[in-house]
């Protein structure tokens, strides 16, 4: 089970830190990712991290602004989001996969419930 938290409402240029706590699964066996879905749009890949945390991947639109990380001792993943803009407004989901295809949502087995991020201009 994955539990996402940390969403909220911020003004453009602000920051938020999302967390994703895992329970009931062997955390280090899974690559982890963040996806987001804006109203009327399809769910899109945001960021992913390898099992050890030494490899990360980002969608181009968040590179240099977002940082994904994980603490395997705490069974928790994070997404630090800086320089937020209104286009980042969406429900953010965390997910876990055992496959190397970390950017592809259909390969993720476990999903969190989503946390709302709203950025106003």
């Amino acid at each position: 089970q994955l539990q996402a938290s940390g969403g909220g409402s911020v003004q453009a240029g602000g920051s938020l830190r999302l967390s994703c706590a895992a329970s009931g699964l062997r955390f280090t066996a899974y690559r982890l990712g963040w996806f987001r879905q804006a109203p009327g749009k399809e769910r899109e890949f945001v960021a992913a991290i390898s099992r050890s945390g030494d490899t990360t991947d980002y969608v181009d639109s968040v590179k240099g602004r977002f940082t994904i990380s994980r603490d395997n001792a705490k069974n928790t993943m994070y997404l630090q989001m800086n320089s937020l803009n209104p286009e980042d407004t969406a429900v953010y989901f965390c997910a876990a996969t055992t496959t190397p295809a970390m950017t592809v949502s259909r390969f993720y087995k476990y999903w969190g419930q989503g946390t709302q991020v709203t950025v106003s201009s």
Side-chain angles (χ1 to χ4, degrees):
Q1 182 178 1
L2 300 175
Q3 182 80 26
S5 62
S9 297
V10 296
Q11 289 192 324
S15 298
L16 283 172
R17 188 194 195 202
L18 305 184
S19 298
C20 177
S23 61
L25 54 82
R26 190 160 60 95
F27 192 68
T28 54
Y30 291 88
R31 299 169 178 88
L32 304 171
W34 288 98
F35 292 78
R36 66 187 179 186
Q37 187 166 18
K41 295 187 177 181
E42 293 189 354
R43 187 171 299 185
E44 69 165 344
F45 167 76
V46 176
I49 190 166
S50 63
R51 290 169 293 188
S52 64
D54 59 354
T55 301
T56 58
D57 197 2
Y58 299 90
V59 66
D60 285 347
S61 61
V62 308
K63 285 181 180 177
R65 301 188 298 122
F66 291 11
T67 302
I68 189 172
S69 62
R70 64 190 292 165
D71 186 336
N72 286 342
K74 295 182 178 180
N75 285 3
T76 303
M77 172 179 64
Y78 305 97
L79 185 68
Q80 178 67 44
M81 305 186 295
N82 299 327
S83 301
L84 285 161
N85 59 60
E87 290 70 39
D88 297 315
T89 295
V91 177
Y92 284 70
F93 299 88
C94 59
T97 180
T98 57
T99 73
M102 296 192 296
T103 66
V104 183
S105 62
R106 68 178 183 272
F107 292 135
Y108 279 76
K109 181 176 183 179
Y110 297 108
W111 290 84
Q113 85 288 2
T115 185
Q116 176 70 47
V117 171
T118 303
V119 185
S120 58
S121 58

